[in-house]
Amino acid sequence: RIACSIAEMEREGGVSPRTSPLARVRDAGSLLSVSGYNLPVVDVDTISIRYKSAAHLVAHLRRLGESSANVNRRGFLGRDGALATAAVYQSLFAESDATVPATYQIIYISGWSPHESQQKPLGRGTATASFKDLRDEIGKGLNAAPPPEEEEENALGPQEDGKKK
């Protein structure tokens, strides 16, 4: 996005959306909730891939179908714009071995259709423990005395002052 915006500003004097909007993780979970699903779960895998060049990256994105579905964009990016975008991306993000990285987030979402057998949240004020109790309990474990040191033994038997008995 950054490289394309820089190249397009330089070549065409303005920016047109060239990629589809990115989904944010919290928006994916919210989408489930407002769609009427219960117990939404969202998980994310982040994958980084190094490409030989920015041209290889763009070819991969096209094979993935990751071009803009936005109907308000200005036509296709011309050859000059594409070459400028590749050059900007290469100059901004190239690694020391001349490869260019790209990071992808794969967002998994799941939810359940509402049903009376599903667990229900408890009402406000029905908790039997407080966060203060939890903090105190955790604090006890952190401040506990370490276990007493046991006499070391090895294959030679008990040791005393570094000498064999």
Side-chain angles (χ1 to χ4, degrees), residues 23-33 39-45 106-111:
R24 294 185 302 201
V25 175
R26 71 171 173 241
D27 293 340
S30 296
L31 179 64
L32 283 174
S33 294
L39 308 171
V41 175
V42 180
D43 194 13
V44 178
D45 280 335
I106 302 167
I107 302 174
Y108 305 93
I109 59 175
S110 65

Side-chain angles (χ1 to χ4, degrees), residues 25 33 37 39 42 44 54 56 74 85-86 95 108 118 143:
V25 175
S33 294
Y37 289 97
L39 308 171
V42 180
V44 178
H56 286 91
R74 277 187 235 151
T85 298
E95 300 286 344
Y108 305 93
Q118 288 176 352
N143 297 326

Side-chain angles (χ1 to χ4, degrees), residues 100-121:
V100 290
T103 302
Y104 301 92
Q105 279 192 330
I106 302 167
I107 302 174
Y108 305 93
I109 59 175
S110 65
W112 294 86
S113 295
H115 191 270
E116 64 272 353
S117 67
Q118 288 176 352
Q119 62 187 8
K120 306 280 188 275

Side-chain angles (χ1 to χ4, degrees), residues 125-140:
T126 59
T128 58
S130 69
F131 282 113
K132 181 185 177 305
D133 296 338
L134 178 62
R135 185 190 66 216
D136 293 345
E137 190 65 31
I138 291 172
K140 285 180 193 174

Side-chain angles (χ1 to χ4, degrees), residues 21-74:
L22 295 175
R24 294 185 302 201
V25 175
R26 71 171 173 241
D27 293 340
S30 296
L31 179 64
L32 283 174
S33 294
V34 300
S35 297
Y37 289 97
N38 289 339
L39 308 171
V41 175
V42 180
D43 194 13
V44 178
D45 280 335
T46 301
I47 300 170
S48 294
I49 300 175
R50 289 180 168 202
Y51 295 90
K52 291 180 186 177
S53 69
H56 286 91
L57 165 60
V58 170
H60 188 215
L61 289 173
R62 286 187 175 146
R63 287 193 308 273
L64 290 171
E66 289 297 326
S67 58
S68 181
N70 189 336
V71 294
N72 295 325
R73 69 177 182 193
R74 277 187 235 151

Side-chain angles (χ1 to χ4, degrees), residues 1-2 40 51 61 76 125:
R1 288 179 190 269
I2 294 168
Y51 295 90
L61 289 173
F76 291 99

